[in-house]
Amino acid sequence: MFLLAALGAAAHADGGMTRAQVKAELAEAMRTGNMLAAGESGMTLRELNPQRYPAPVVALGKSRAEVKMELADAIRTGDILANDESGLRVNEEFPQRFPAQVVAAGKSRAEVKAELAEAIRTGDMLANDESGLKLNEELPRHYAKARAAQAGSPRLMTAEAPSAAGRAAQ
């Protein structure tokens, strides 16, 4: 029983915050009104009596000119919702009316196919279940040769180099 009490006290001692930190946090909550009010309302003191507490700092938004400039740009590029129920943007609904979207160059088809073949060979792809594991983690025996080939090739070079140097010295 003493052992259980000691373990419970040790777990409780690892709470993370010191007494001074808790006191400082309480004082800040009292100062700003971020404490629950007494009763069953579920509201904070600030919500019940907003005149008693300083107003929260509000981040400045965009100016009217900035908003108008963004709107004009969105209209010019068609990046606004179409006036129908399709849910498409105007440039998606009428692509011929707007300049083509610039797409960043990606990998070529051959590069993607090579990456896929390598991932299949090494099992470096997600298993077809809910485990979240890769195939080589879920089935390590199936992919042992691929791992050995990947890990073994640098070892072979380092293992051969000293023996060749040793032979030259002999």
Side-chain angles (χ1 to χ4, degrees), residues 3 8 14 18 20 22 37 52 55 65 68 81 99 102 142 146 152 158 165:
L3 180 63
D14 290 338
T18 65
V22 172
R52 290 186 178 179
K68 287 177 105 175
L81 288 178
V102 178
H142 288 85
T158 56

Side-chain angles (χ1 to χ4, degrees), residues 55-148:
V57 178
V58 179
L60 294 176
K62 297 178 181 178
S63 70
R64 181 177 174 85
E66 289 173 328
V67 172
K68 287 177 105 175
M69 187 174 63
E70 283 184 10
L71 176 62
D73 188 46
I75 291 171
R76 183 181 54 78
T77 61
D79 201 18
I80 56 174
L81 288 178
N83 197 14
D84 58 13
E85 295 178 5
S86 67
L88 297 174
R89 294 188 185 115
V90 175
N91 60 7
E92 294 170 340
E93 197 167 292
F94 305 105
Q96 67 280 6
R97 294 184 185 172
F98 300 96
Q101 299 281 334
V102 178
V103 179
K107 296 178 182 176
S108 70
R109 181 176 173 84
E111 290 171 330
V112 172
K113 288 177 90 173
E115 277 186 21
L116 176 62
E118 179 68 14
I120 291 171
R121 187 181 67 75
T122 61
D124 196 21
M125 52 194 318
L126 289 177
N128 193 17
D129 58 13
E130 296 176 0
S131 68
L133 296 174
K134 293 181 181 179
L135 286 172
N136 58 12
E137 296 168 343
E138 195 172 84
L139 305 167
R141 292 186 316 207
H142 288 85
Y143 298 98
K145 289 181 183 177
R147 269 198 318 265

